[in-house]
Amino acid sequence: MAADFLEIVITWPDPLPGEAEHICRLLDGGTHFVHLRRPDAGEEEMRRLIESIRKDLHPRLILHSHFRLIEEYGLGGAHLNGRWPDAPKFHTELSHSCHSLAELACAPRFRYVTLSPVFPSISKPGYGPKGFSPFLKGKIPALNVIALGGVTPERYPELRQAGFAGAARLGDVWKPFVKK
């Protein structure tokens, strides 16, 4: 994968067997960042997940909550979203969730922003693009926009052509681990 196209993986919302080992394999295999997203997790659960991942990979872990753990563990940054919209008081790299082209106006303030859903979601059936069609050359108004929602590696060429700086994956990475 080219260094100019970021590949990000977001964790499944619930713990999965062998998850920490898989996160390590993803990062060792070229994934740039793994976002630790546990909407219902307490700080101790997040702490256990972080501690189960090799320390040399901690700078490539991005938290969606419990931001004080970033400094404690030397993590790579905070991802601001509807549940955790406020940046930590200490300096860290920031990313942000966007769900419309209009929201991309904030993009220059962040390392990158995610725009979702770009395609029909793999992890959330029935959740798909909300009235924007970003696949017209030049329609992505910022250079640091990461596509999210229904993204698979097969779609990378299409995303590059549309002007995305990278792709964030969730469903295609974790669905095989989810018990049916």
Side-chain angles (χ1 to χ4, degrees):
M1 173 182 37
D4 63 339
F5 192 78
L6 285 179
E7 184 174 18
I8 297 166
V9 170
I10 300 171
T11 59
W12 195 256
D14 303 305
L16 294 171
E19 178 178 37
E21 294 81 11
H22 194 59
I23 289 170
C24 292
R25 281 193 301 274
L26 288 164
L27 291 168
D28 287 339
T31 297
H32 292 90
F33 299 105
V34 171
H35 283 225
L36 304 181
R37 180 184 168 270
R38 288 278 197 283
D40 299 321
E43 186 174 297
E44 284 308 308
E45 181 180 332
M46 291 303 297
R47 186 180 300 282
R48 283 191 301 276
L49 176 58
I50 294 163
E51 290 175 355
S52 67
I53 298 167
R54 289 193 337 253
K55 287 182 182 176
D56 65 302
L57 299 175
H58 284 185
R60 294 167 56 201
L61 300 175
I62 309 298
L63 283 187
H64 282 226
S65 60
H66 307 292
F67 295 149
R68 70 186 207 91
L69 299 175
I70 294 168
E71 275 192 315
E72 184 176 337
Y73 289 97
L75 305 182
H79 184 83
L80 308 182
N81 54 61
R83 289 178 182 235
W84 290 75
D86 298 322
K89 302 289 185 232
F90 54 87
H91 175 73
T92 189
E93 292 284 349
L94 299 174
S95 57
H96 190 274
S97 296
C98 296
H99 300 285
S100 71
L101 290 175
E103 288 180 77
L104 295 181
C106 74
R109 297 186 2 231
F110 298 98
R111 175 194 283 169
Y112 53 81
V113 297
T114 58
L115 178 63
S116 70
V118 175
F119 301 109
S121 176
I122 296 167
S123 61
K124 298 177 187 175
Y127 185 61
K130 295 184 177 181
F132 60 86
S133 181
F135 300 105
L136 302 173
K137 187 77 171 154
K139 286 294 183 185
I140 301 302
L143 300 175
N144 61 338
V145 180
I146 306 297
L148 172 62
V151 173
T152 62
E154 295 77 26
R155 295 210 187 246
Y156 288 1
E158 183 178 2
L159 295 171
R160 279 187 174 103
Q161 184 177 2
F164 284 98
R169 298 166 52 208
L170 191 160
D172 76 311
V173 172
W174 300 109
K175 273 268 186 172
F177 295 90
V178 177
K179 293 182 181 178
K180 303 200 186 302

